[in-house]
Amino acid sequence: MAQEQAINRIVELLSRSNNTVVVTGAGISTEAGIPDFRGEKGIYRTLGERYVLGILNIDTFRREPDTFYEFYRQYFMFPPVEPSPAHFMLAKMEKMGLIKAVVTQNIDNLHQKAGNKRVVAVHGNAERFICTGCGTRFKSQYVVEFPELIPTCDKCEQILKPDVVLFGEHIQNYLDARDLITGAKLLVVIGSSLTVYPLAGFVKEFSTFYQDLVIINKGPTQLDHATAVKLNTDSTGEVLEEIVRRVELHRR
Ligand code: NAD
């Protein structure tokens, strides 16, 4: 389907649906300057997936916190970036009543920063750290400024853990995410290869209900075959801007 036609079809589906949910992955944040894992600059390519999985897991965090924090500080303490045009468009779409919620695999806090009110983050939020001893929460700035490699709590001196889901841990907000996705009338996936479970499994489950699935992504995903519309792009911001423009025209 040509881009022009695909956008028109998405506008049609959005206008018809009273329950649209958006699912986002790392691809929506690459335009904001945060690389995804699998892309050219991603750490799965530059370092190898096995190496990354070997460090970014809960066992390494517990047993070798220095190895964990050396890696985490280098690759996961995101520089302060602004949301991309796509993030801002999703916030606008929520305000316009076009979408009900965003379910995201991202940990970069950019949907919240752009103004979306209903964001269900299943892999946590890298802006936060939690004390493994007393549960006190800290902002990432505390860790950035901490004088040692391994950050500890200023009350009980136990190690802080990033509030992100490491390999070997359960996802957060499982039920909310699953209910929103499987209960949607229209599901729009943006910037995800749909290879990371269980979220990809929820989308797969949704697609078996014969509801409308739209995927906006650069390159293939695991569920392209199940879509009403697949739009191939690396400018999700421009595409969403055009969709909103046409919906606004439609409404006049
Ligand atoms: P993924 O890496 O599996 O897929 C990202 C997809 O986005 C790829 O198909 C890629 O081609 C596409 N993409 C990249 N740039 C794009 C662009 N400009 N426009 C459109 N599409 C683009 O990502 P995933 O499925 O989200 O899973 C990776 C895991 O990594 C997730 O668990 C996530 O938590 C984590 N992660 C998060 C961040 C973040 O918070 N920003 C960054 C990297 C990884």
Side-chain angles (χ1 to χ4, degrees), residues 32-70:
I34 300 176
D36 58 10
F37 280 177
R38 290 178 176 78
E40 267 164 44
K41 293 188 210 153
I43 52 176
Y44 281 175
R45 291 268 192 101
T46 55
L47 304 173
E49 192 165 345
R50 275 182 72 156
Y51 177 76
V52 175
L53 303 193
I55 297 182
L56 218 53
N57 67 71
I58 188 67
D59 284 341
T60 304
F61 172 78
R62 289 193 185 124
R63 274 189 264 177
E64 298 172 46
D66 46 349
T67 308
F68 176 87
Y69 264 109
E70 244 168 56

Side-chain angles (χ1 to χ4, degrees), residues 72 109 124-130 137-140 161-164 172:
Y72 194 85
N109 201 42
N125 188 326
E127 294 277 292
R128 283 192 305 259
F129 285 75
I130 298 181
R137 289 172 166 223
F138 293 83
K139 289 207 165 132
S140 59
K161 179 186 172 294
D163 188 17
V164 301
Q172 299 177 3

Side-chain angles (χ1 to χ4, degrees), residues 24-31 34-39 44 76 78 104-110 123 167 190-196 216-221 233-236:
T24 63
I28 197 169
S29 294
T30 55
E31 287 168 71
I34 300 176
D36 58 10
F37 280 177
R38 290 178 176 78
Y44 281 175
F76 280 82
F78 300 129
T104 188
Q105 297 195 136
N106 295 342
I107 55 173
D108 55 28
N109 201 42
L110 291 179
H123 289 168
F167 291 101
I190 306 172
S192 172
S193 59
L194 292 174
T195 46
V196 180
I216 301 173
N217 195 59
K218 179 172 83 178
T221 81
T233 181
D234 59 2
S235 306
T236 55

Side-chain angles (χ1 to χ4, degrees), residues 11 19 29 64 74 78 82 87 168 186 201 204 251-252:
V11 170
N19 183 355
S29 294
E64 298 172 46
Q74 187 171 355
F78 300 129
E82 288 307 306
H87 290 102
L186 170 64
K204 196 167 182 184
R251 284 184 170 179
R252 276 193 200 143

Side-chain angles (χ1 to χ4, degrees), residues 180-225:
L180 275 167
I181 291 172
T182 56
K185 168 101 185 67
L186 170 64
L187 193 67
V188 182
V189 176
I190 306 172
S192 172
S193 59
L194 292 174
T195 46
V196 180
Y197 279 72
L199 202 70
F202 301 159
V203 179
K204 196 167 182 184
E205 196 179 339
F206 167 89
S207 73
T208 61
F209 297 151
Y210 304 105
Q211 302 287 23
D212 295 315
L213 175 64
V214 169
I215 297 181
I216 301 173
N217 195 59
K218 179 172 83 178
T221 81
Q222 294 297 316
L223 286 175
D224 287 355
H225 61 276

